[in-house]
Amino acid sequence: MDYRTGIDAVAFDLDGTLVDSRLDFTAMRRELGFPEGIGLIEHMETLGDAAAVERAWAVIERHEMAGAEAATWIPGARELLAGLHSAGVPTAILTRNARITTEHMHRALDIPVNLVLTREDCQPKPDPDGLHRIAAQLGVPTARMIYVGDFVYDLQTARAAGAHACLLRNERNGRFALEADLIVDHLDELALHLGATRSAG
């Protein structure tokens, strides 16, 4: 597929895709006593004690805010977004992070996107609700949108929504490659695929 002509909008996961907040999910699970192999939000739904749920959210949000305060750009992300903006391609963020921490990163790094949806705004990934909402608000069909992420939930979300799934591969996530329509090892490669190569500087 020629992504330069077949894509009308680009949506991104946030942490691990556009920014590095150094979130340590293993440490979060250890502190919470949550098992490996299931998402934090999904495990929260199995807790029957409202007080335990409240305590768990407090731990998660503390880790997320610490990550948001330490967040830096993923290499190539700022330049890719600048190139897409210059080309007139609408962009969005869909994240499972909280709105307050997402807004902190959005402001601190001045992330230039048209739309941001967090876990308070839609059903959490891998539910396709968020991408359907983004497509509706940007006025593009999901079939002409690509969703870029670094985790299997991102790829499953894209597939469930009928969007193109792009994996930003790293040393930990190569096992998810079979779920992706497009695999890149650096966002510069994605910029070339999308024809968005303008420098931010």
Side-chain angles (χ1 to χ4, degrees), residues 19 93 113 124 154 195:
V19 305
I93 287 171
V113 292
D154 304 316

Side-chain angles (χ1 to χ4, degrees), residues 3-137:
Y3 290 98
R4 291 170 297 178
T5 58
I7 296 298
D8 293 333
V10 184
F12 297 89
D13 172 48
L14 182 60
D15 189 57
T17 302
L18 292 178
V19 305
D20 180 5
S21 63
R22 299 170 182 81
L23 278 179
D24 187 340
F25 289 98
T26 299
M28 292 167 70
R29 287 188 171 90
R30 187 183 307 118
E31 183 173 348
L32 291 164
F34 282 12
E36 293 287 341
I38 182 171
L40 296 174
I41 294 174
E42 286 72 20
H43 188 70
M44 293 274 283
E45 293 172 353
T46 71
L47 300 178
D49 179 5
V53 171
E54 186 175 349
R55 285 194 300 272
W57 276 126
V59 170
I60 290 169
E61 288 168 3
R62 171 166 48 81
H63 279 267
E64 287 183 345
M65 183 52 75
E69 291 172 350
T72 57
W73 284 99
I74 290 286
R78 191 194 319 229
E79 293 80 6
L80 172 58
L81 288 173
L84 291 168
H85 178 76
S86 179
V89 177
T91 54
I93 287 171
L94 174 62
T95 176
R96 282 164 57 109
N97 285 357
R99 184 182 298 120
I100 187 171
T101 53
T102 301
E103 288 178 349
H104 183 92
M105 287 186 274
H106 194 184
R107 289 193 306 269
L109 296 176
D110 192 24
I111 302 173
V113 292
N114 300 96
L115 179 62
V116 178
L117 294 187
T118 69
R119 64 173 175 246
E120 290 96 338
D121 302 314
C122 56
Q123 293 299 313
K125 298 178 288 184
D127 192 295
D129 177 48
L131 285 187
H132 285 308
R133 289 172 183 263
I134 287 170
Q137 291 191 50

Side-chain angles (χ1 to χ4, degrees), residues 153-199:
Y153 286 169
D154 304 316
L155 306 175
Q156 291 171 344
T157 301
R159 288 193 172 279
H164 299 271
C166 177
L167 175 66
L168 177 58
R169 185 164 52 188
N170 58 44
E171 66 277 7
R172 301 176 303 279
N173 67 8
R175 65 190 185 279
F176 305 139
L178 290 177
E179 300 273 356
D181 299 307
L182 177 66
I183 302 164
V184 297
D185 296 306
H186 193 286
L187 290 175
D188 287 353
E189 297 175 44
L190 181 58
L192 290 171
H193 280 289
L194 297 173
T197 55
R198 178 178 178 271
S199 170

